Amino acid sequence: MQGSEPAGRGPVRYGPPVPPTGLPVDDGSAAVLASAAGAVRGEPPGGGAALREAACGYWARRGLHCGPDEVVAASGAQPLLFALLGAYDGDVLVPRPCPAWWVPQARLLGRPAYHVPTPAECGGVPDPFALLETVRRVRAEGGRPRILLLSVADDPTATVAPPETLRETCEAAVGEGLHIISDETWRDTLHAPAATVLLSPAEMCPGDVTVISDLVGALTPESWPVAVARFPQGAAAAARRARTLDFITALGAVVPAPLAAAAAYVLGEPEAVAERAVRAVAVHARLAAAVHRAVLAAGALALPPQAGRHLYADLGPLRAGLAERGVGDSMELEDHLGGLLGTSVPGGHRFGDELGALRVRLSTGPLLGSTPDEQHAALTAPDVLRLPHVDAALGRLAGVLHELGDAGPGPGLER
């Protein structure tokens, strides 16, 4: 479990990890990694030609064409974003809530980071009117807002921003001279891809958007740190890419050669990788829908999850029952709920929400089992919810939520 500050453990060193897959490493990727283990020559800063070309192919299949000279790879999303922020300069604006690892990058660079409210229907993208107001306020106070970080498929809210909302926000940002960094880590984890329209800001404002993607979203295990960035075309972007490479070199954030080979393999999306990714998304979508039902049945709130391996629950309606248990803010809720469930349940304060808001991110990965056999069964079962260990884990979660709200034993989860 991830602890909180009163135990002497700070928010950066002990911030929440990305929502885990809860699944074993696939055999094909592991075989490629093992076969490259004897590589003597390392990758250059920013990634070798094979890795960058594979990233170009990945983005081209999603309508975002680019060349290898417009791509940079790094050993994880955190150093990559740190390098990008260093290269682009200026104050940073982020949605509230936002991924827990974004703001620390700006603060480590000595940059202010300003949270902007999101629309009621989604997270990840600031409300356009709130964005304009925040930019003007920051400038009036002597700040230099230059960068907007957003995520169309969002952590922590698991929502996907509607195209019309995204367009209004992007137009507002570009109109105010902001460069957009679009984190598209979760774009390949849509729960209903045929019914969900996901557009990248780079499709709307191609000259003003840098796209980043952590491969842990859909393609690699969380223990394999690889992330890639796609820069716009033009001389100014080329100069910023060069500056980003300076930061990556100084940080030593170079992708190890064996891992680069495995990353290039999965970015090529061979049939086995693509099929496994689709199955994994379907499993997590089924689990997320069941967790969402449990949250609502307990009297709490959450937007329907649309992507990722998580959802964002607001336990504010259970405040009275939580207060009886000594829980009055999200730090206490994180500790209390995490202790009951035996897993990391990061509170909303980790994501920039107000401390008094009783919000938590619930991950679906821990529901898949604790052994390789249980996890493999979850990946291959016709209906993951009918596996005894998954059913037991969901029942425990539902029971804990009902108990927190003093709602009695509660109904069983609908299958």
Side-chain angles (χ1 to χ4, degrees):
M1 174 186 166
Q2 302 296 318
S4 54
E5 290 82 349
R9 298 175 289 184
V12 176
R13 288 181 294 124
Y14 291 87
V18 297
T21 64
L23 297 171
V25 179
D26 72 279
D27 294 338
S29 300
V32 172
L33 181 67
S35 67
V40 176
R41 180 173 297 177
E43 290 279 290
L51 177 54
R52 289 183 286 115
E53 287 172 0
C56 291
Y58 166 85
W59 274 312
R61 289 189 292 275
R62 288 152 180 81
L64 300 175
H65 297 276
C66 59
D69 290 340
E70 295 155 2
V71 173
V72 163
S75 56
Q78 289 85 349
L80 180 57
L81 179 59
F82 186 87
L84 281 170
L85 294 178
Y88 278 92
D89 199 11
D91 299 347
V92 181
L93 288 89
V94 298
R96 184 193 300 275
C98 71
W101 58 277
W102 282 4
V103 172
Q105 311 302 313
R107 289 178 176 167
L108 287 171
L109 285 165
R111 307 275 184 77
Y114 300 95
H115 287 274
V116 186
T118 54
E121 69 270 17
C122 69
V125 175
D127 176 87
F129 298 103
L131 176 64
L132 291 172
E133 178 59 31
T134 302
V135 169
R136 290 162 187 163
R137 175 177 56 82
V138 170
R139 285 180 177 151
E141 295 172 353
R144 298 185 306 126
R146 298 282 299 278
I147 301 167
L148 171 63
L149 267 168
L150 55 77
S151 54
V152 182
D154 184 45
D155 170 23
T157 65
T159 59
V160 177
E164 57 274 16
T165 300
L166 179 65
R167 178 173 293 280
E168 290 175 3
T169 298
C170 290
E171 289 177 350
V174 172
E176 292 295 331
L178 304 181
H179 184 78
I180 298 170
I181 298 178
S182 175
D183 182 355
E184 301 185 7
T185 294
W186 302 101
R187 69 167 297 153
D188 295 323
T189 65
L190 299 184
H191 296 177
T196 307
V197 178
L198 185 151
L199 293 180
S200 169
E203 298 177 72
M204 300 177 175
C205 308
D208 299 287
V209 178
T210 299
V211 175
I212 62 173
S213 181
D214 189 341
L215 271 58
V216 73
L219 296 175
T220 63
E222 54 263 35
S223 59
W224 294 9
V226 185
V228 289
R230 174 193 179 274
F231 289 78
Q233 296 181 344
R240 291 189 177 107
R241 179 181 181 273
R243 182 62 175 157
T244 301
L245 288 172
D246 288 340
F247 272 83
I248 289 173
T249 303
L251 293 169
V254 178
V255 182
L259 195 51
Y265 169 76
V266 298
L267 282 168
E269 297 178 291
E271 184 176 355
V273 169
E275 288 181 353
R276 177 188 166 90
V278 170
R279 287 201 306 272
V281 169
V283 166
H284 284 285
R286 193 92 164 94
L287 288 171
V291 174
H292 185 246
R293 290 193 294 271
V295 168
L296 298 185
L301 303 171
L303 289 171
Q306 297 175 283
R309 304 185 284 266
H310 55 285
L311 59 82
Y312 200 52
D314 183 354
L315 275 59
L318 312 183
R319 186 176 295 274
L322 287 165
E324 293 179 1
R325 293 162 175 79
V327 176
D329 61 36
S330 63
M331 289 177 62
E332 294 168 346
L333 179 60
E334 174 183 295
D335 287 339
H336 185 73
L337 193 55
L340 292 174
L341 295 174
T343 188
S344 174
V345 186
H349 62 287
R350 304 284 189 181
F351 309 104
D353 255 334
E354 297 294 336
L355 184 62
L358 295 174
R359 300 188 182 111
V360 292
R361 187 186 69 188
L362 300 171
S363 297
T364 53
L367 301 172
L368 294 174
S370 57
T371 69
D373 287 343
E374 288 179 341
Q375 295 163 354
H376 184 266
L379 182 64
T380 57
D383 185 354
V384 65
L385 299 186
R386 298 194 180 278
L387 292 174
H389 70 276
V390 174
D391 181 71
L394 283 168
R396 181 182 180 191
L397 172 62
V400 166
L401 291 174
H402 276 282
E403 183 181 354
L404 291 177
D406 278 335
L413 291 176
E414 179 185 350
R415 294 297 187 257

